[in-house]
mmCIF file with all atom_site columns, all heavy atoms in Angstrom:
data_model
loop_
_atom_site.group_PDB
_atom_site.id
_atom_site.type_symbol
_atom_site.label_atom_id
_atom_site.label_alt_id
_atom_site.label_comp_id
_atom_site.label_asym_id
_atom_site.label_entity_id
_atom_site.label_seq_id
_atom_site.pdbx_PDB_ins_code
_atom_site.Cartn_x
_atom_site.Cartn_y
_atom_site.Cartn_z
_atom_site.occupancy
_atom_site.B_iso_or_equiv
_atom_site.pdbx_formal_charge
_atom_site.auth_seq_id
_atom_site.auth_comp_id
_atom_site.auth_asym_id
_atom_site.auth_atom_id
_atom_site.pdbx_PDB_model_num
ATOM 1   N N   . MET Y 1 112 ? -18.962 3.222  26.272 1.00 97.00 ? 112 MET Y N   1
ATOM 2   C CA  . MET Y 1 112 ? -20.096 3.849  26.954 1.00 97.00 ? 112 MET Y CA  1
ATOM 3   C C   . MET Y 1 112 ? -20.896 4.684  25.989 1.00 97.00 ? 112 MET Y C   1
ATOM 4   O O   . MET Y 1 112 ? -20.351 5.354  25.139 1.00 97.00 ? 112 MET Y O   1
ATOM 5   C CB  . MET Y 1 112 ? -19.585 4.692  28.117 1.00 97.00 ? 112 MET Y CB  1
ATOM 6   C CG  . MET Y 1 112 ? -20.699 5.403  28.888 1.00 97.00 ? 112 MET Y CG  1
ATOM 7   S SD  . MET Y 1 112 ? -20.004 6.494  30.159 1.00 97.00 ? 112 MET Y SD  1
ATOM 8   C CE  . MET Y 1 112 ? -19.305 5.267  31.270 1.00 97.00 ? 112 MET Y CE  1
ATOM 9   N N   . ASN Y 1 113 ? -22.223 4.666  26.163 1.00 97.00 ? 113 ASN Y N   1
ATOM 10  C CA  . ASN Y 1 113 ? -23.088 5.567  25.413 1.00 97.00 ? 113 ASN Y CA  1
ATOM 11  C C   . ASN Y 1 113 ? -23.944 6.403  26.365 1.00 97.00 ? 113 ASN Y C   1
ATOM 12  O O   . ASN Y 1 113 ? -23.834 6.280  27.593 1.00 97.00 ? 113 ASN Y O   1
ATOM 13  C CB  . ASN Y 1 113 ? -23.914 4.798  24.393 1.00 97.00 ? 113 ASN Y CB  1
ATOM 14  C CG  . ASN Y 1 113 ? -24.900 3.822  25.064 1.00 97.00 ? 113 ASN Y CG  1
ATOM 15  O OD1 . ASN Y 1 113 ? -25.382 4.043  26.189 1.00 97.00 ? 113 ASN Y OD1 1
ATOM 16  N ND2 . ASN Y 1 113 ? -25.232 2.734  24.377 1.00 97.00 ? 113 ASN Y ND2 1
ATOM 17  N N   . CYS Y 1 114 ? -24.827 7.214  25.831 1.00 97.00 ? 114 CYS Y N   1
ATOM 18  C CA  . CYS Y 1 114 ? -25.626 8.131  26.622 1.00 97.00 ? 114 CYS Y CA  1
ATOM 19  C C   . CYS Y 1 114 ? -26.622 7.404  27.564 1.00 97.00 ? 114 CYS Y C   1
ATOM 20  O O   . CYS Y 1 114 ? -27.073 7.971  28.559 1.00 97.00 ? 114 CYS Y O   1
ATOM 21  C CB  . CYS Y 1 114 ? -26.394 9.094  25.759 1.00 97.00 ? 114 CYS Y CB  1
ATOM 22  S SG  . CYS Y 1 114 ? -25.352 10.179 24.767 1.00 97.00 ? 114 CYS Y SG  1
ATOM 23  N N   . PHE Y 1 115 ? -26.969 6.160  27.212 1.00 97.00 ? 115 PHE Y N   1
ATOM 24  C CA  . PHE Y 1 115 ? -27.879 5.412  28.048 1.00 97.00 ? 115 PHE Y CA  1
ATOM 25  C C   . PHE Y 1 115 ? -27.250 4.980  29.376 1.00 97.00 ? 115 PHE Y C   1
ATOM 26  O O   . PHE Y 1 115 ? -27.955 4.456  30.234 1.00 97.00 ? 115 PHE Y O   1
ATOM 27  C CB  . PHE Y 1 115 ? -28.407 4.185  27.305 1.00 97.00 ? 115 PHE Y CB  1
ATOM 28  C CG  . PHE Y 1 115 ? -29.398 4.514  26.213 1.00 97.00 ? 115 PHE Y CG  1
ATOM 29  C CD1 . PHE Y 1 115 ? -29.156 4.141  24.904 1.00 97.00 ? 115 PHE Y CD1 1
ATOM 30  C CD2 . PHE Y 1 115 ? -30.550 5.218  26.495 1.00 97.00 ? 115 PHE Y CD2 1
ATOM 31  C CE1 . PHE Y 1 115 ? -30.058 4.430  23.872 1.00 97.00 ? 115 PHE Y CE1 1
ATOM 32  C CE2 . PHE Y 1 115 ? -31.475 5.537  25.490 1.00 97.00 ? 115 PHE Y CE2 1
ATOM 33  C CZ  . PHE Y 1 115 ? -31.220 5.134  24.193 1.00 97.00 ? 115 PHE Y CZ  1
ATOM 34  N N   . SER Y 1 116 ? -25.964 5.160  29.514 1.00 97.00 ? 116 SER Y N   1
ATOM 35  C CA  . SER Y 1 116 ? -25.334 4.817  30.808 1.00 97.00 ? 116 SER Y CA  1
ATOM 36  C C   . SER Y 1 116 ? -26.013 5.562  31.941 1.00 97.00 ? 116 SER Y C   1
ATOM 37  O O   . SER Y 1 116 ? -26.258 5.005  33.012 1.00 97.00 ? 116 SER Y O   1
ATOM 38  C CB  . SER Y 1 116 ? -23.851 5.126  30.776 1.00 97.00 ? 116 SER Y CB  1
ATOM 39  O OG  . SER Y 1 116 ? -23.170 4.253  29.892 1.00 97.00 ? 116 SER Y OG  1
ATOM 40  N N   . CYS Y 1 117 ? -26.321 6.820  31.706 1.00 96.00 ? 117 CYS Y N   1
ATOM 41  C CA  . CYS Y 1 117 ? -27.015 7.637  32.683 1.00 96.00 ? 117 CYS Y CA  1
ATOM 42  C C   . CYS Y 1 117 ? -28.504 7.777  32.403 1.00 96.00 ? 117 CYS Y C   1
ATOM 43  O O   . CYS Y 1 117 ? -29.313 7.875  33.322 1.00 96.00 ? 117 CYS Y O   1
ATOM 44  C CB  . CYS Y 1 117 ? -26.396 9.009  32.783 1.00 96.00 ? 117 CYS Y CB  1
ATOM 45  S SG  . CYS Y 1 117 ? -24.685 9.050  33.404 1.00 96.00 ? 117 CYS Y SG  1
ATOM 46  N N   . HIS Y 1 118 ? -28.853 7.764  31.103 1.00 97.00 ? 118 HIS Y N   1
ATOM 47  C CA  . HIS Y 1 118 ? -30.244 8.045  30.710 1.00 97.00 ? 118 HIS Y CA  1
ATOM 48  C C   . HIS Y 1 118 ? -30.984 6.807  30.206 1.00 97.00 ? 118 HIS Y C   1
ATOM 49  O O   . HIS Y 1 118 ? -31.947 6.928  29.473 1.00 97.00 ? 118 HIS Y O   1
ATOM 50  C CB  . HIS Y 1 118 ? -30.262 9.122  29.639 1.00 97.00 ? 118 HIS Y CB  1
ATOM 51  C CG  . HIS Y 1 118 ? -29.671 10.418 30.075 1.00 97.00 ? 118 HIS Y CG  1
ATOM 52  N ND1 . HIS Y 1 118 ? -30.361 11.326 30.873 1.00 97.00 ? 118 HIS Y ND1 1
ATOM 53  C CD2 . HIS Y 1 118 ? -28.453 10.962 29.886 1.00 97.00 ? 118 HIS Y CD2 1
ATOM 54  C CE1 . HIS Y 1 118 ? -29.607 12.387 31.094 1.00 97.00 ? 118 HIS Y CE1 1
ATOM 55  N NE2 . HIS Y 1 118 ? -28.427 12.185 30.535 1.00 97.00 ? 118 HIS Y NE2 1
ATOM 56  N N   . GLY Y 1 119 ? -30.543 5.629  30.602 1.00 97.00 ? 119 GLY Y N   1
ATOM 57  C CA  . GLY Y 1 119 ? -31.215 4.402  30.249 1.00 97.00 ? 119 GLY Y CA  1
ATOM 58  C C   . GLY Y 1 119 ? -31.107 3.420  31.383 1.00 97.00 ? 119 GLY Y C   1
ATOM 59  O O   . GLY Y 1 119 ? -30.067 2.770  31.574 1.00 97.00 ? 119 GLY Y O   1
ATOM 60  N N   . GLY Y 1 120 ? -32.151 3.309  32.177 1.00 95.00 ? 120 GLY Y N   1
ATOM 61  C CA  . GLY Y 1 120 ? -32.126 2.409  33.314 1.00 95.00 ? 120 GLY Y CA  1
ATOM 62  C C   . GLY Y 1 120 ? -33.348 1.505  33.316 1.00 95.00 ? 120 GLY Y C   1
ATOM 63  O O   . GLY Y 1 120 ? -33.781 1.024  32.267 1.00 95.00 ? 120 GLY Y O   1
ATOM 64  N N   . SER Y 1 121 ? -33.907 1.290  34.480 1.00 96.00 ? 121 SER Y N   1
ATOM 65  C CA  . SER Y 1 121 ? -35.080 0.466  34.577 1.00 96.00 ? 121 SER Y CA  1
ATOM 66  C C   . SER Y 1 121 ? -36.143 1.198  35.385 1.00 96.00 ? 121 SER Y C   1
ATOM 67  O O   . SER Y 1 121 ? -35.841 2.024  36.231 1.00 96.00 ? 121 SER Y O   1
ATOM 68  C CB  . SER Y 1 121 ? -34.759 -0.881 35.249 1.00 96.00 ? 121 SER Y CB  1
ATOM 69  O OG  . SER Y 1 121 ? -34.478 -0.697 36.626 1.00 96.00 ? 121 SER Y OG  1
ATOM 70  N N   . VAL Y 1 122 ? -37.377 0.939  35.035 1.00 97.00 ? 122 VAL Y N   1
ATOM 71  C CA  . VAL Y 1 122 ? -38.516 1.454  35.800 1.00 97.00 ? 122 VAL Y CA  1
ATOM 72  C C   . VAL Y 1 122 ? -39.031 0.295  36.653 1.00 97.00 ? 122 VAL Y C   1
ATOM 73  O O   . VAL Y 1 122 ? -39.745 -0.565 36.187 1.00 97.00 ? 122 VAL Y O   1
ATOM 74  C CB  . VAL Y 1 122 ? -39.632 1.994  34.877 1.00 97.00 ? 122 VAL Y CB  1
ATOM 75  C CG1 . VAL Y 1 122 ? -40.839 2.410  35.663 1.00 97.00 ? 122 VAL Y CG1 1
ATOM 76  C CG2 . VAL Y 1 122 ? -39.103 3.196  34.056 1.00 97.00 ? 122 VAL Y CG2 1
ATOM 77  N N   . TYR Y 1 123 ? -38.541 0.270  37.873 1.00 97.00 ? 123 TYR Y N   1
ATOM 78  C CA  . TYR Y 1 123 ? -38.891 -0.802 38.832 1.00 97.00 ? 123 TYR Y CA  1
ATOM 79  C C   . TYR Y 1 123 ? -38.691 -2.183 38.225 1.00 97.00 ? 123 TYR Y C   1
ATOM 80  O O   . TYR Y 1 123 ? -39.539 -3.065 38.297 1.00 97.00 ? 123 TYR Y O   1
ATOM 81  C CB  . TYR Y 1 123 ? -40.332 -0.601 39.308 1.00 97.00 ? 123 TYR Y CB  1
ATOM 82  C CG  . TYR Y 1 123 ? -40.584 0.747  39.902 1.00 97.00 ? 123 TYR Y CG  1
ATOM 83  C CD1 . TYR Y 1 123 ? -41.382 1.682  39.272 1.00 97.00 ? 123 TYR Y CD1 1
ATOM 84  C CD2 . TYR Y 1 123 ? -39.964 1.125  41.098 1.00 97.00 ? 123 TYR Y CD2 1
ATOM 85  C CE1 . TYR Y 1 123 ? -41.593 2.942  39.816 1.00 97.00 ? 123 TYR Y CE1 1
ATOM 86  C CE2 . TYR Y 1 123 ? -40.175 2.366  41.654 1.00 97.00 ? 123 TYR Y CE2 1
ATOM 87  C CZ  . TYR Y 1 123 ? -40.982 3.297  40.998 1.00 97.00 ? 123 TYR Y CZ  1
ATOM 88  O OH  . TYR Y 1 123 ? -41.183 4.531  41.544 1.00 97.00 ? 123 TYR Y OH  1
ATOM 89  N N   . GLY Y 1 124 ? -37.513 -2.358 37.591 1.00 95.00 ? 124 GLY Y N   1
ATOM 90  C CA  . GLY Y 1 124 ? -37.139 -3.656 37.061 1.00 95.00 ? 124 GLY Y CA  1
ATOM 91  C C   . GLY Y 1 124 ? -37.368 -3.838 35.601 1.00 95.00 ? 124 GLY Y C   1
ATOM 92  O O   . GLY Y 1 124 ? -36.915 -4.837 35.016 1.00 95.00 ? 124 GLY Y O   1
ATOM 93  N N   . ARG Y 1 125 ? -38.035 -2.897 34.937 1.00 96.00 ? 125 ARG Y N   1
ATOM 94  C CA  . ARG Y 1 125 ? -38.297 -3.011 33.486 1.00 96.00 ? 125 ARG Y CA  1
ATOM 95  C C   . ARG Y 1 125 ? -37.321 -2.117 32.747 1.00 96.00 ? 125 ARG Y C   1
ATOM 96  O O   . ARG Y 1 125 ? -37.408 -0.888 32.867 1.00 96.00 ? 125 ARG Y O   1
ATOM 97  C CB  . ARG Y 1 125 ? -39.738 -2.599 33.176 1.00 96.00 ? 125 ARG Y CB  1
ATOM 98  C CG  . ARG Y 1 125 ? -40.073 -2.649 31.686 1.00 96.00 ? 125 ARG Y CG  1
ATOM 99  C CD  . ARG Y 1 125 ? -41.502 -2.182 31.439 1.00 96.00 ? 125 ARG Y CD  1
ATOM 100 N NE  . ARG Y 1 125 ? -42.474 -3.032 32.100 1.00 96.00 ? 125 ARG Y NE  1
ATOM 101 C CZ  . ARG Y 1 125 ? -43.772 -2.811 32.087 1.00 96.00 ? 125 ARG Y CZ  1
ATOM 102 N NH1 . ARG Y 1 125 ? -44.265 -1.713 31.492 1.00 96.00 ? 125 ARG Y NH1 1
ATOM 103 N NH2 . ARG Y 1 125 ? -44.611 -3.614 32.699 1.00 96.00 ? 125 ARG Y NH2 1
ATOM 104 N N   . PRO Y 1 126 ? -36.390 -2.667 31.971 1.00 97.00 ? 126 PRO Y N   1
ATOM 105 C CA  . PRO Y 1 126 ? -35.429 -1.836 31.218 1.00 97.00 ? 126 PRO Y CA  1
ATOM 106 C C   . PRO Y 1 126 ? -36.170 -0.827 30.339 1.00 97.00 ? 126 PRO Y C   1
ATOM 107 O O   . PRO Y 1 126 ? -37.076 -1.196 29.581 1.00 97.00 ? 126 PRO Y O   1
ATOM 108 C CB  . PRO Y 1 126 ? -34.668 -2.856 30.391 1.00 97.00 ? 126 PRO Y CB  1
ATOM 109 C CG  . PRO Y 1 126 ? -34.752 -4.123 31.150 1.00 97.00 ? 126 PRO Y CG  1
ATOM 110 C CD  . PRO Y 1 126 ? -36.139 -4.114 31.763 1.00 97.00 ? 126 PRO Y CD  1
ATOM 111 N N   . THR Y 1 127 ? -35.772 0.452  30.464 1.00 97.00 ? 127 THR Y N   1
ATOM 112 C CA  . THR Y 1 127 ? -36.475 1.512  29.795 1.00 97.00 ? 127 THR Y CA  1
ATOM 113 C C   . THR Y 1 127 ? -35.510 2.587  29.247 1.00 97.00 ? 127 THR Y C   1
ATOM 114 O O   . THR Y 1 127 ? -34.974 3.353  30.044 1.00 97.00 ? 127 THR Y O   1
ATOM 115 C CB  . THR Y 1 127 ? -37.497 2.163  30.731 1.00 97.00 ? 127 THR Y CB  1
ATOM 116 O OG1 . THR Y 1 127 ? -38.357 1.159  31.296 1.00 97.00 ? 127 THR Y OG1 1
ATOM 117 C CG2 . THR Y 1 127 ? -38.347 3.209  29.987 1.00 97.00 ? 127 THR Y CG2 1
#
Side-chain angles (χ1 to χ4, degrees):
M112 180 184 293
N113 64 30
C114 297
F115 287 122
S116 292
C117 294
H118 299 281
S121 70
V122 175
Y123 305 111
R125 178 182 298 177
T127 306

